[in-house]
Amino acid sequence: MTTRSIQVRFQLDYGAFQLAVDLSLPGSGITVLFGHSGSGKTTLLRCIAGLEHAPQGFLEINGKVWQDSEKGLFVPAHKRSLGYVFQEANLFPHLSLAGNLQFGLKRIGKSSRPDGLQQILELLGIDHLLDRMPDKLSGGERQRVAIARALALNPEVLLMDEPLASLDLKRKQEILPYLNRLHQETNIPILYVTHSHQEVAQLADYLVILEEGRVLASGLLSDTLSRLDVPLAQEKEAATVWEVTVAGHEVDYHLTSVAFAGGTLSLPTINAEIGTSLRALIYARDVSIALEKPIATSILNVFTATITGIVDDKCGRSVVQMKVGTQLLLAHITNKSAQLLKLNIGMTVFVQIKGTSILH
């Protein structure tokens, strides 16, 4: 059986901006393209869509080649089996939700299946809105319709260009669970552009960090977030993400225990059944380090850790990378603390995790 993968190689020169990427990405799950404005995220996505024609390029999606400049092959955008979701939903204002979906279905005709469309509608929680006009939908609902329209094309890949950028925080929180369901319940690879740390933590299986048209780092989410040689680890929002499973509930204390590869975290009550898989987001600023195991402390989550890396951010702070079991963890501490504790790579220490956020 052929391994599912996406092979991307593009070189594009706009004079003031050059794109030069060479990536091998997973052919399933969500790959997030992350970077600040001007890093090349959208340009890369447009090259994949065929909306930009990179003179030197190669693109293969799970065995199907859409561009090979050495062989003179370039499949135009309208012939690529893809769905594209933009920042704005761009729905036709004179058509109902159902009408907007039917417009998209005309592109694939007989290959569409009513049961497949119904599954998409239910997956995105919009099956009860079919008769609504776009101006009667919330921003989050409109964007879910745009996603459904893209999925109705039965694409080989779904491209999403900052689809939550125009939404307020409440609407973002409304739509993120649906994006997670897409991730879990469809086999369509998703390439997702964002500059939001939260969206990275909540959605990414695989992370690509771009800077000035180049790939700064790429890899599995937990590994890439924790790399000390990329700026993310030194930023204020630096964090690690642990995959956890609900292990039990302490009803009297309003606490929930979640298991990870290395131990158990005690967290405020989570409304989820035992066995449910979740993500725990742990900010580096919420992790402290001790040489001896704290005994009298109000912090419930204390673990043994091994230091695997230390860097000085040149602003009076040390970024410490550690392993708790098999999980990577970051801590931000002052340089003075690092020196007083005489921290070194290979040392065994104790970490206290003061707070976590659960990403559903």
Side-chain angles (χ1 to χ4, degrees):
M1 183 176 178
T2 304
T3 302
R4 291 170 59 86
S5 68
I6 298 174
Q7 305 299 320
V8 180
R9 296 193 295 275
F10 292 120
Q11 289 190 30
L12 189 64
D13 190 347
Y14 284 144
F17 173 81
Q18 293 87 35
L19 179 73
V21 299
D22 187 344
L23 289 164
S24 180
L25 306 174
S28 60
I30 300 179
T31 294
V32 170
L33 307 178
F34 176 84
H36 299 295
S37 296
S39 62
K41 307 182 300 295
T42 294
T43 301
L44 174 55
L45 208 68
R46 288 175 60 82
C47 285
I48 292 170
L51 298 174
E52 299 279 353
H53 187 174
Q56 298 181 57
F58 179 86
L59 175 63
E60 181 179 333
I61 309 286
N62 290 326
K64 296 185 178 180
V65 179
W66 288 349
Q67 181 172 350
D68 187 341
S69 57
E70 292 186 359
K71 295 182 179 179
L73 173 66
F74 181 82
V75 177
H78 68 278
K79 291 187 177 181
R80 299 188 182 194
S81 175
L82 58 85
Y84 204 123
V85 181
F86 298 87
Q87 290 184 22
E88 299 291 340
N90 295 323
L91 302 180
F92 296 106
H94 62 290
L95 296 178
S96 65
L97 184 160
N100 271 279
L101 292 175
Q102 289 301 324
F103 182 87
L105 286 171
K106 290 177 183 178
R107 284 184 54 189
I108 56 171
K110 294 181 181 180
S111 64
S112 63
R113 303 191 324 271
D115 60 328
L117 179 57
Q118 184 60 33
Q119 181 185 12
I120 291 168
L121 296 174
E122 292 174 0
L123 183 65
L124 292 167
I126 54 175
D127 50 317
H128 63 293
L129 301 174
L130 287 173
D131 295 330
R132 294 265 189 97
M133 301 300 287
D135 63 346
K136 301 301 182 184
L137 301 174
S138 71
E141 288 168 341
R142 284 196 296 272
Q143 204 62 326
R144 278 185 274 158
V145 175
I147 294 169
R149 187 171 61 183
L151 287 173
L153 302 175
N154 195 24
E156 300 284 342
V157 61
L158 180 61
L159 309 179
M160 307 185 80
D161 189 2
E162 302 204 60
L164 308 187
S166 63
L167 303 180
D168 59 28
L169 181 60
K170 182 179 179 180
R171 299 307 178 196
K172 287 182 181 181
Q173 294 301 324
E174 167 196 317
I175 199 172
L176 278 168
Y178 292 104
L179 293 178
N180 267 324
R181 290 183 66 186
L182 281 181
H183 164 214
Q184 295 163 6
E185 298 184 31
T186 72
N187 199 35
I188 300 171
I190 299 173
L191 300 183
Y192 188 102
V193 164
T194 187
H195 62 266
S196 164
H197 289 76
Q198 182 188 8
E199 290 170 39
V200 168
Q202 190 152 350
L203 297 175
D205 299 304
Y206 196 89
L207 178 60
V208 177
I209 302 173
L210 293 170
E211 185 175 272
E212 296 182 349
R214 304 294 194 274
V215 176
L216 199 59
S218 66
L220 295 174
L221 174 66
S222 57
D223 296 339
T224 309
L225 281 180
S226 304
R227 282 180 54 169
L228 297 181
D229 60 341
V230 297
L232 276 181
Q234 300 179 27
E235 294 182 0
K236 182 181 179 181
E237 298 299 307
T240 43
V241 173
W242 288 2
E243 303 288 341
V244 301
T245 304
V246 176
H249 301 285
E250 295 184 78
V251 178
D252 291 344
Y253 294 107
H254 300 282
L255 295 172
T256 294
S257 297
V258 297
F260 66 95
T264 303
L265 284 166
S266 185
L267 306 173
T269 297
I270 302 167
N271 185 21
E273 295 181 359
I274 292 174
T276 302
S277 296
L278 301 168
R279 286 182 174 185
L281 177 67
I282 305 170
Y283 288 104
R285 61 175 180 261
D286 289 333
V287 178
S288 63
I289 299 173
L291 297 184
E292 297 180 359
K293 186 175 183 178
I295 298 175
T297 176
S298 64
I299 297 174
L300 296 175
N301 297 308
V302 181
F303 304 100
T304 303
T306 302
I307 296 176
T308 51
I310 306 174
V311 296
D312 182 346
D313 74 351
K314 308 302 181 183
C315 295
R317 190 176 59 180
S318 291
V319 184
V320 185
Q321 182 196 71
M322 296 164 285
K323 270 196 171 182
V324 178
T326 61
Q327 299 282 353
L328 287 168
L329 182 68
L330 293 179
H332 284 176
I333 63 174
T334 65
N335 285 343
K336 183 176 181 179
S337 294
Q339 291 178 17
L340 289 173
L341 295 174
K342 298 180 180 179
L343 299 183
N344 287 295
I345 294 173
M347 282 182 64
T348 298
V349 295
F350 295 90
V351 293
Q352 296 186 106
I353 299 176
K354 293 175 281 186
T356 62
S357 297
I358 285 292
L359 306 172
H360 293 273

